Amino acid sequence: MTTARSRSAESVDQHLALRRVERQHALIEELRARAPRATTGSLLAERLGVAVRTVERDIVRLREAGVPITVRSGPGGGYRIDTRSRLDPLSLTPGEAAALVVALVAVGPYASASARSAMDKLLTALHGTGTAQGPRPSFPQAGEDAFVGGVKLGEFDG
C-alpha cells in the first residue's frame, strides 16, 4: 500500500536525482569549456554552487559510469575531460534513442547547447526526417505534451 508519506519521499528522491543529473551535466560542460586545461575542484564547486566534496563525489560517479575524466593530484592538478570534438559514429535502436530523449527531457533539452543539439539529432532520427542536418522536428512549447515515437512523455515545462 502506497501512503502519502511514501509518495512524498519518492518525489523528493526523484527531485534530488534530477538535481544530481543536472549538476553532473553542468560539471561535464564546465570541464569541456576549460579543456584541455585542468580545473580544480574548488573552481568547479564555486561555478556549480556546491561543496568541493560534492564535486569529488560527482567525479567519482561520472568516472565509474565511463566518462573520460582524468584526475591529477598536487600543484597544477585538477580534473580534465577528453577533448575530442567528434565521436565515432554509433547506431542506436529507436528504443535506445527514445531513452536518451527521455533523459534529455529530464535534464531540460535547453540546459546547454550540447543538450539542444543532441535533442535535435535524436528527434530528427526518430521522426525519420532525413539526416541530423536535415529538417528539424517541432519541439513542444511550455505546457504542451511531449511525445517520442507516439509515447507521451508528459507536459513539457520549457
Side-chain angles (χ1 to χ4, degrees), residues 37-104:
R37 297 180 318 269
T39 306
T40 65
S42 58
L43 179 60
L44 290 167
E46 180 183 318
R47 296 280 298 159
L48 299 173
V50 297
V52 172
R53 182 66 187 124
T54 300
V55 169
E56 292 168 349
R57 283 191 296 264
D58 284 346
I59 293 287
V60 167
R61 285 186 186 109
L62 290 167
R63 292 183 74 206
E64 287 174 350
V67 177
I69 297 172
T70 57
V71 180
R72 182 172 168 207
S73 300
Y79 303 104
R80 288 190 182 125
I81 194 163
D82 184 336
T83 59
R84 290 181 289 171
S85 62
R86 293 268 182 200
L87 300 177
D88 294 333
L90 62 114
S91 180
L92 301 173
T93 66
E96 291 168 334
L100 292 174
V101 168
V102 170
L104 283 168

Side-chain angles (χ1 to χ4, degrees), residues 94 97-99 101-102 105 119 123 126-127 146-153:
V101 168
V102 170
V105 167
M119 181 68 99
L123 290 177
L126 284 169
H127 285 279
F147 290 86
V148 172
V151 178
K152 181 178 176 183
L153 301 176

